[in-house]
């Protein structure tokens, strides 16, 4: 475990670096963040519709009712991707648009939207990468208990089958879940994400049923898509560092690593929960909700692991009740870290983004090398990396964002270094294509390579979009 004082620093990207031939360059979005059309063509509320419409939950009372209106402007957005020259687009399917109640047959108008989108992507030479779940659970399933209930995992497998039957002839790359840690621990633990519940045991139950849902969905996909299709999951692997090299701080990092990372990589990639996780949470639950065969179901062979990285996590043993306001996941009087109440989170040193997240590419390098060591036969893809800054359009209509260019350049240099040192990294997806609804932050944070003027919907490629376009077209990372 590398401490903050010992952390490696990636070399400055002062010379051009060429990525391997076939390296996949893409960009990414999520359905609730961009689509809008919240009540059109049969779509019913998701947990994020309900959460965002609850006073006090989202900054400025913002909702995704319109978002960036991608549901009506999808052709324009695909044209922007083609202009950027990216080879792939990672998007998510809205479960309540396809299967509004979370049960029963699909709504064809919902599927037709994704059929048109995928066809347009293929026509422009852009590979579609479909994520089945990016947090928008149908509200009716939450009303029935949500992810803490086993039935939700079973419903997810049925939904995966509907999506595969409709799009399996077009989509060759599938992701089951995006960041299940956020779904479980922010949604049911701290309550800063939908559905806003604050029950540590429910959070652990949700984590297990997300693991189960992943395995069931992989099986549903494998049963329906062509043999050359690829299946994956995307995890926001936390790169956890102890504040000091003391035994206490090192153990604090171990606890958070178990709750943040190994709670998913254990079942999904090894077929077992780590023993230390079970011990750390034994005062909360005996994990009797794990049934015989569940772990074998969760442990399905994958074609690659999606990795989302933005910033490292810095922890220590607090000696009393820990603080969670510096963990980067929003403020709450309830913890998203069950069984780790004595762990304190600290702001890592250095410059920060508009989210208050430390800018530290060395964390991405170290994370990739750890994953390459732990899972040497599993290819890796960076499925999200990017930053929010205080972007604005100048009087001439230009958006200059040198901070984002520097951020992405530094992190791509870290990826290149990891590849040189033996990590099997196959691609990079910039988050995000568009400025959009940033969950509890509403529209106050801009991650996009493309600026969105929300009152008009006008799209303006930022300087970073033009810079990233050159990298994606050439496969060469320019020097600083």
């Amino acid at each position: 475990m590398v401490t903050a004082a010992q952390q490696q620093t990636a070399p400055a990207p002062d010379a051009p670096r060429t990525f391997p031939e076939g390296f996949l360059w893409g960009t990414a979005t999520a359905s609730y963040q961009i689509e809008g059309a919240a009540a059109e063509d049969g779509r019913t509320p998701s947990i994020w519709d309900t959460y965002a419409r609850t006073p006090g939950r989202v900054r400025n009372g913002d909702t995704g009712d319109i978002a960036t209106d991608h549901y009506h402007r999808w052709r324009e957005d695909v044209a922007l991707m083609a202009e950027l020259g990216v080879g792939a687009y990672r998007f998510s399917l809205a479960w309540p648009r396809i299967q509004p109640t979370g049960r029963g047959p699909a709504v064809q108008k919902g599927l037709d939207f994704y059929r048109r989108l995928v066809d347009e992507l293929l026509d422009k030479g852009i590979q579609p990468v479909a994520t089945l779940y990016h947090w928008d659970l149908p509200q009716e399933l939450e009303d029935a208990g949500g992810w803490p209930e086993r039935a939700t995992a079973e419903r997810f497998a049925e939904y995966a089958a509907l999506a595969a039957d409709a799009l399996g002839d077009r989509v060759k790359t599938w992701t089951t879940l995006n960041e299940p840690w956020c779904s479980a621990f922010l949604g049911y633990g701290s309550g800063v994400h939908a559905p806003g519940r604050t029950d540590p045991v429910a959070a652990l139950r949700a984590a297990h049923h997300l693991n189960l849902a992943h395995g069931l969905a992989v099986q549903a996909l494998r049963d329906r898509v062509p043999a050359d299709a690829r299946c994956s999951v995307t995890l926001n692997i936390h790169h956890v560092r102890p504040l000091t090299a003391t035994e206490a701080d090192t153990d604090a990092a171990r606890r958070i690593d178990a709750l943040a990372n190994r709670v998913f990589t254990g079942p999904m990639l090894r077929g077992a929960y780590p023993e230390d996780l079970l011990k750390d949470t034994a005062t909360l639950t005996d994990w009797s909700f794990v049934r015989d065969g569940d772990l074998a179901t969760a442990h399905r062979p994958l074609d690659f692991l999606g990795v989302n990285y933005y910033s490292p996590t810095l922890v220590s043993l607090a000696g009393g009740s820990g603080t969670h306001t510096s963990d980067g996941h929003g403020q709450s009087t309830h913890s998203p870290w069950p069984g780790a109440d004595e762990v304190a989170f600290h702001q890592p040193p250095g410059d920060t983004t508009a989210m208050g997240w430390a800018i530290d590419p060395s964390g991405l390098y170290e994370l990739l090398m750890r994953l390459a060591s732990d899972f040497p036969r599993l290819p890796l893809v960076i499925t999200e990396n990017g930053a929010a800054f205080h972007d604005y359009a100048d009087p001439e209509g230009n958006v200059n964002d040198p901070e984002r260019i520097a951020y992405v350049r530094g992190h791509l240099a870290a990826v290149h270094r990891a590849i040189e040192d033996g990590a099997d990294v196959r691609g990079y997806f910039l988050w995000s294509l568009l400025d959009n609804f940033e969950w509890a932050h509403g529209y106050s944070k801009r991650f996009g390579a493309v600026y969105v003027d929300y009152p008009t919907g006008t799209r303006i490629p930022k300087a970073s979009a033009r810079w990233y376009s050159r990298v994606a077209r050439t496969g060469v990372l320019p020097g600083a």
Side-chain angles (χ1 to χ4, degrees), residues 36-60:
E40 291 188 33
D41 294 336
R43 184 189 181 280
T44 56
S46 73
I47 55 174
W48 266 99
D49 291 283
T50 302
Y51 187 86
R53 293 168 188 166
T54 303
R57 290 294 200 181
V58 175
R59 186 169 180 173
N60 299 322

Side-chain angles (χ1 to χ4, degrees), residues 226-374:
D228 61 347
R230 302 189 303 166
C231 293
S232 67
V233 66
T234 281
L235 304 178
N236 56 321
I237 304 287
H238 290 59
H239 183 58
V240 187
R241 291 170 173 155
L243 183 65
T244 72
T246 63
E247 182 178 350
D249 286 359
T250 300
D251 190 62
R254 177 202 60 76
R255 281 177 173 264
I256 298 306
D257 179 63
L259 284 166
N261 303 326
R262 291 181 285 120
V263 66
F264 296 109
T265 59
M268 291 181 182
L269 304 181
R270 298 190 188 281
Y273 283 108
E275 288 297 326
D276 61 327
L277 171 70
L278 303 182
K279 181 179 179 181
D280 290 343
T281 57
T283 59
L284 296 171
T285 177
D286 60 3
W287 292 76
S288 59
F289 46 82
V290 180
R291 297 184 185 177
D292 290 346
D294 282 3
L295 295 173
T297 298
H299 185 209
R300 300 290 185 186
L302 297 178
D303 297 293
F304 67 89
L305 174 65
V307 179
N308 291 358
Y309 173 87
Y310 293 93
S311 185
T313 301
L314 186 61
V315 302
S316 69
L317 185 69
S321 180
T323 60
H324 308 285
T325 56
S326 295
D327 66 1
H329 297 299
Q331 296 189 11
S332 173
T333 57
H334 299 272
S335 171
W337 305 103
D341 289 342
E342 293 187 346
V343 175
F345 292 79
H346 304 271
Q347 177 65 36
D351 294 336
T352 62
T353 69
M355 295 288 289
W357 298 345
I359 301 172
D360 189 347
S362 70
L364 178 56
Y365 169 81
E366 293 165 6
L367 174 60
L368 292 173
M369 297 311 298
R370 173 191 171 179
L371 291 170
S373 175
D374 289 350

